[in-house]
Amino acid sequence: MTEKATVDLTGAAQTMLTTLYLKALDAGFERPVLGDGFAERAIERLDYDWRDLGISKRWAPLVTVRTAQYDAWARDFLAAHDRATVVHLGCGLDCRVQRLDPGPGVEWYDVDYPEVIALREQIYPARPGYHLVATSATDPSWLDEIPADRPTLLLAEGISMYLTADQGAELLRHVVDRFPSGEVQIDFYNSFAIRSQKAHTLNRKTGSTLYWAVDGPADVLNRVQGIRLLAAVPFFDADTFGPTSKGFHAVRRLSRLVPPVRKALQYHRYAF
Ligand SMILES: C[S@@+](CC[C@H](N)C(=O)[O-])C[C@H]1O[C@@H](n2cnc3c(N)ncnc32)[C@H](O)[C@@H]1O
């Protein structure tokens, strides 16, 4: 793997470069939130000028607090089910399968647009029980290709906002109908975050549009039958927030005064 992979992405697919890069920067911190050495090595394998993202290391917690939270929940799920399926939707170039290193009873599916999956194939090695699915999440047929023979975790981090509410709810209903039991671990922007999307550098730079706003678990429970809420945690209240900078902790205190800001990004966990 000496030759670097060429990166040619636009829109929503391009957003995963920022999340990967911030994870790589976090890995170099004295007190990292995630400490993902796989991400640090991955950015070296891509032929890309990372300065083009226009983002600096101080913003890393915006991504790593979330990723560390979903790693913790996914670990819980895998600890309870040594035979399981993981469907990691909108995986981007995230190294979760390497970080969690699941056991031999786990079949893991990383799912994203074909251009993103093609990059994964170039920069990451194959591993037993690991599969790539190149598709749009909104294609109704891809889920039916995944065996429904064991408890299933649908982990969708950083993708719901690129779907419309109808597409997202339909996808979740399809998961609940298809698999015997499991969990949905998914994050959402609220209405305030969706309305203020023009202020987000990431969306401006990639030309991506955000759609699905979820203000609380009721918005999901009302549209998807057969799921039960296990947890709903705003970004600022995540257990994984601890090692972030003093600046982030100051913003966290201020956010408590403005509920729409405090709940701008929420981590939800459901059982079915
Ligand atoms: C913000 S990135 C997050 C990537 C990764 N989950 C992470 O946290 O690093 C959003 C990802 O969702 C993917 N995505 C967005 N809409 C999608 C769709 N309709 N079908 C498949 N993937 C999609 C993008 O290609 C991108 O990889």
Side-chain angles (χ1 to χ4, degrees):
M1 272 189 220
T2 46
E3 207 169 301
K4 293 194 176 199
T6 304
V7 177
D8 183 15
L9 301 170
T10 54
Q14 199 186 348
T15 61
M16 60 89 191
L17 294 174
T18 298
T19 53
L20 178 72
Y21 184 55
L22 291 177
K23 287 172 214 175
L25 294 178
D26 167 82
F29 291 174
E30 203 175 308
R31 293 179 68 213
V33 173
L34 187 67
D36 184 352
F38 299 104
E40 216 173 13
R41 291 189 286 281
I43 65 166
E44 296 301 324
R45 296 187 203 125
L46 297 170
D47 185 10
Y48 189 75
D49 186 347
W50 297 98
R51 289 169 302 186
D52 286 353
L53 296 177
I55 193 139
S56 69
K57 61 184 181 185
R58 81 186 137 116
W59 298 111
L62 288 179
V63 168
T64 53
V65 166
R66 174 176 78 181
T67 302
Q69 177 65 70
Y70 284 103
D71 276 9
W73 283 349
R75 278 198 181 95
D76 286 351
F77 182 83
L78 292 174
H81 305 94
D82 50 6
R83 263 180 56 79
T85 298
V86 177
V87 180
H88 187 207
L89 182 61
C91 57
L93 291 179
D94 178 77
C95 307
R96 179 161 282 121
V97 73
Q98 290 100 317
R99 290 193 303 275
L100 270 50
D101 193 21
V106 175
E107 297 295 322
W108 185 295
Y109 295 82
D110 268 349
V111 186
D112 209 302
Y113 284 126
E115 58 271 34
V116 174
I117 295 300
L119 272 180
R120 284 198 83 91
E121 282 172 331
Q122 288 175 71
I123 70 167
Y124 296 133
R127 50 181 288 149
Y130 178 67
H131 317 270
L132 293 168
V133 183
T135 183
S136 169
T138 57
D139 175 335
S141 62
W142 68 272
L143 259 178
D144 297 322
E145 304 298 315
I146 296 180
D149 60 343
R150 47 188 94 184
T152 298
L153 168 61
L154 177 84
L155 203 169
E157 179 189 359
I159 175 171
S160 72
M161 47 295 281
Y162 300 102
L163 309 177
T164 65
D166 285 346
Q167 288 168 339
E170 169 146 9
L171 179 70
L172 297 189
R173 285 195 292 267
H174 197 157
V175 167
V176 174
D177 287 349
R178 172 152 182 81
F179 299 105
S181 63
E183 286 190 21
V184 173
Q185 300 178 0
I186 184 167
D187 63 320
F188 296 105
Y189 281 152
N190 69 3
S191 314
F192 165 76
I194 297 290
R195 270 198 313 271
S196 54
Q197 61 181 284
K198 293 237 166 13
H200 304 192
T201 314
L202 183 61
N203 303 313
R204 273 204 318 275
K205 284 200 94 99
T206 59
S208 52
T209 306
L210 309 178
Y211 302 98
W212 192 8
V214 168
D215 290 321
D219 291 354
V220 181
L221 293 165
N222 287 340
R223 298 193 65 146
V224 184
Q225 309 303 307
I227 58 171
R228 178 167 55 85
L229 182 67
L230 296 176
V233 181
F235 166 77
F236 287 109
D237 294 348
D239 288 343
T240 51
F241 200 88
T244 61
S245 65
K246 284 186 181 152
F248 265 90
H249 280 273
V251 176
R252 170 194 234 180
R253 284 191 294 278
L254 285 175
S255 78
R256 298 233 155 98
L257 305 173
V258 192
V261 173
R262 176 165 165 248
K263 296 190 169 181
L265 175 63
Q266 302 169 32
Y267 310 141
H268 290 194
R269 182 178 183 185
Y270 300 90
F272 63 89

